[in-house]
Amino acid sequence: MTRIRAGIVGVTGYTGMELLRILKNHPNVQITYVSSKSFSGKSMNEVYPFTLQDKVLEDVNAKKIAEDCDVLFTALPSGASYELVKELPSMKVIDLGADLRFDDASIYERWYAKKLTDYDRTKRAYGLPELYRNEIRQVNLVGNPGCYPTCVLLSVAPLLKEGSLSDKNIFVDAKSGVSGAGKKEELEYSFCEINENLKAYNPVIHRHVPEMEEQMKKLFGDEITVTFVPHLVPMTRGILSTIYLKSDLNVDEVYKLYCDSYEAERFIHVLKPGIYPSTKWSYGSNHMYISFAKDERNKTLIIIGVLDNLVKGASGQAVQNMNLLFSIPENTGLESNPFYP
Ligand SMILES: NC(=O)c1ccc[n+]([C@@H]2O[C@H](COP(=O)([O-])OP(=O)(O)OC[C@H]3O[C@@H](n4cnc5c(N)ncnc54)[C@H](OP(=O)(O)O)[C@@H]3O)[C@@H](O)[C@H]2O)c1
């Protein structure tokens, strides 16, 4: 049996902790390295007693990582991973931030205001297994997609690949639980500001726009414009994206196209017309649900995608990518159902 020694940098964050939860139950994995800047020297049990892990948190140290790990997950804010990745030239790395996600470094540099030196020499893949499985198998470095891009791209990919759009503008109204922002101390994320409240944030200028547009261009073969309005919802986890686009296909044709495209996919579930998912369906699981409606009066196709931002939108998908890198079944360690209710 393949044994994988895994390290997590940034383990104390939300995606880091989700990685720890999933990897603890992964039959091939032994967690050999965890790091934290804020809690270095303390054990996981001291920082988070419910992890039931006495592993000691270390400083980030490339030499130690290279000795102790076969794979490294970097669960850091975007911009914080790239230099570390460069210090580990032969290590398999899955970065949960945006540092390895873009084909065109200049797009990243414009939106994230940071330079990526020698990026062209870095062979990497965009870690969306349902679309790029073969590419992921051939690299050491994976840029794990953003949570919204995962939801939106999987929701539109079959249509784009088929060329079944009659207008190159796509409108996305997306809702996310607050964990999507990571661990934050700012007032706007405090209980009274979030509870019983709903608001849009960063409409049109959210950093996930260029990521979605770059990937959609690859799928469709031409520029697509994404008008994206994310909203913060008073729940802990979950994303629901409602996507509006123009297509001549009717809802039954779309349903058939998606069933054919995702037939072999373990984690993508296409719902019959008239059935609509809610975020609880994927809460704590790696499963994603997609459904459709069509307003035939104006040829608007509505696609609704639902996933858990911390699992299929981040750490579950990262483990799916790890399974591909080590040629073990893609669903290993990822089979759990959602928490319900
Ligand atoms: N939250 C989501 O739903 C989600 C989904 C998809 C992708 N992502 C991406 O995944 C990455 C991690 O997100 P998150 O939500 O887990 O963030 P988070 O909760 O803020 O955790 C990030 C962790 O990184 C460590 N850290 C912060 N700044 C650092 C630095 N400069 N150098 C080294 N370590 C640093 C911190 O831990 P210590 O202080 O203990 O070191 C912190 O706990 C981000 O790039 C995010 O965009 C997040």
Side-chain angles (χ1 to χ4, degrees), residues 9-17 35-40 48 57 60 74-81 95-98 101 144-148 176-184 208 239 309-310 313-315:
V9 178
V11 70
T12 60
Y14 288 157
T15 60
M17 288 295 286
S35 85
S36 161
K37 263 172 45 160
S38 316
F39 301 101
S40 164
Y48 289 126
L57 290 153
V60 180
T74 44
L76 302 176
S78 294
S81 309
D95 179 37
L96 281 84
R101 283 182 200 160
N144 212 59
C147 46
Y148 286 124
S176 173
V178 186
S179 65
K183 275 164 66 178
K184 292 274 188 308
H208 286 168
I239 285 180
N309 56 294
L310 291 177
S315 308

Side-chain angles (χ1 to χ4, degrees), residues 192-254:
C192 294
E193 303 296 318
I194 298 283
N195 185 42
E196 295 181 44
N197 204 358
L198 179 63
K199 66 173 182 182
Y201 66 100
N202 292 340
V204 186
I205 56 164
H206 193 285
R207 283 169 162 180
H208 286 168
V209 170
E211 183 181 334
M212 291 188 271
E213 289 183 350
E214 187 181 63
Q215 293 301 325
M216 284 187 192
K217 185 178 176 185
K218 282 200 288 189
L219 296 169
F220 188 63
D222 199 356
E223 301 280 352
I224 300 262
T225 308
V226 180
T227 301
F228 178 57
V229 184
H231 298 77
L232 205 55
V233 177
M235 59 189 191
T236 303
R237 292 166 180 248
I239 285 180
L240 187 150
S241 300
T242 308
I243 301 160
Y244 302 84
L245 51 83
K246 299 287 182 191
S247 175
D248 291 328
L249 298 186
N250 68 36
V251 86
D252 292 326
E253 290 167 330
V254 175

Side-chain angles (χ1 to χ4, degrees), residues 79-299:
S81 309
Y82 189 65
E83 294 308 318
L84 175 63
V85 171
K86 280 183 25 184
E87 286 181 62
L88 296 163
S90 48
M91 165 80 51
K92 293 185 194 302
V93 181
I94 299 160
D95 179 37
L96 281 84
D99 296 6
L100 301 174
R101 283 182 200 160
F102 287 84
D103 292 344
D104 179 350
S106 71
I107 302 177
Y108 174 93
E109 289 171 358
R110 203 161 58 246
W111 284 78
Y112 288 82
K114 192 166 192 298
K115 270 239 158 301
L116 296 174
T117 52
D118 294 329
Y119 193 64
D120 290 340
R121 281 193 245 154
T122 319
K123 193 163 180 255
R124 66 205 168 267
Y126 187 69
L128 203 46
E130 289 76 8
L131 303 184
Y132 301 118
R133 177 165 289 130
N134 292 335
E135 289 85 342
I136 296 164
R137 285 195 182 105
Q138 287 163 32
V139 295
N140 275 342
L141 302 181
V142 176
N144 212 59
C147 46
Y148 286 124
T150 297
C151 190
V152 173
L153 290 168
L154 291 170
S155 295
V156 299
L159 270 180
L160 297 194
K161 284 207 243 176
E162 193 72 8
S164 299
L165 279 190
S166 49
D167 183 305
K168 290 183 239 168
N169 299 300
I170 295 182
F171 298 84
V172 182
D173 174 312
K175 317 279 190 303
S176 173
V178 186
S179 65
K183 275 164 66 178
K184 292 274 188 308
E185 287 175 2
E186 286 93 330
L187 176 65
E188 62 181 307
Y189 299 102
S190 65
F191 181 78
C192 294
E193 303 296 318
I194 298 283
N195 185 42
E196 295 181 44
N197 204 358
L198 179 63
K199 66 173 182 182
Y201 66 100
N202 292 340
V204 186
I205 56 164
H206 193 285
R207 283 169 162 180
H208 286 168
V209 170
E211 183 181 334
M212 291 188 271
E213 289 183 350
E214 187 181 63
Q215 293 301 325
M216 284 187 192
K217 185 178 176 185
K218 282 200 288 189
L219 296 169
F220 188 63
D222 199 356
E223 301 280 352
I224 300 262
T225 308
V226 180
T227 301
F228 178 57
V229 184
H231 298 77
L232 205 55
V233 177
M235 59 189 191
T236 303
R237 292 166 180 248
I239 285 180
L240 187 150
S241 300
T242 308
I243 301 160
Y244 302 84
L245 51 83
K246 299 287 182 191
S247 175
D248 291 328
L249 298 186
N250 68 36
V251 86
D252 292 326
E253 290 167 330
V254 175
Y255 174 65
K256 178 164 185 338
L257 171 67
Y258 277 61
C259 285
D260 292 347
S261 302
Y262 288 134
E263 191 182 13
E265 295 300 340
R266 180 72 193 99
F267 299 117
I268 311 295
H269 307 280
V270 180
L271 299 170
K272 285 192 178 129
I275 300 178
Y276 304 105
S278 63
T279 52
K280 279 250 165 141
W281 290 23
S282 58
Y283 201 89
S285 91
N286 201 49
H287 294 277
M288 174 180 179
Y289 294 86
I290 303 176
S291 70
F292 319 96
K294 178 99 190 271
D295 190 337
E296 287 294 355
R297 297 167 306 167
N298 55 16
K299 304 257 176 254

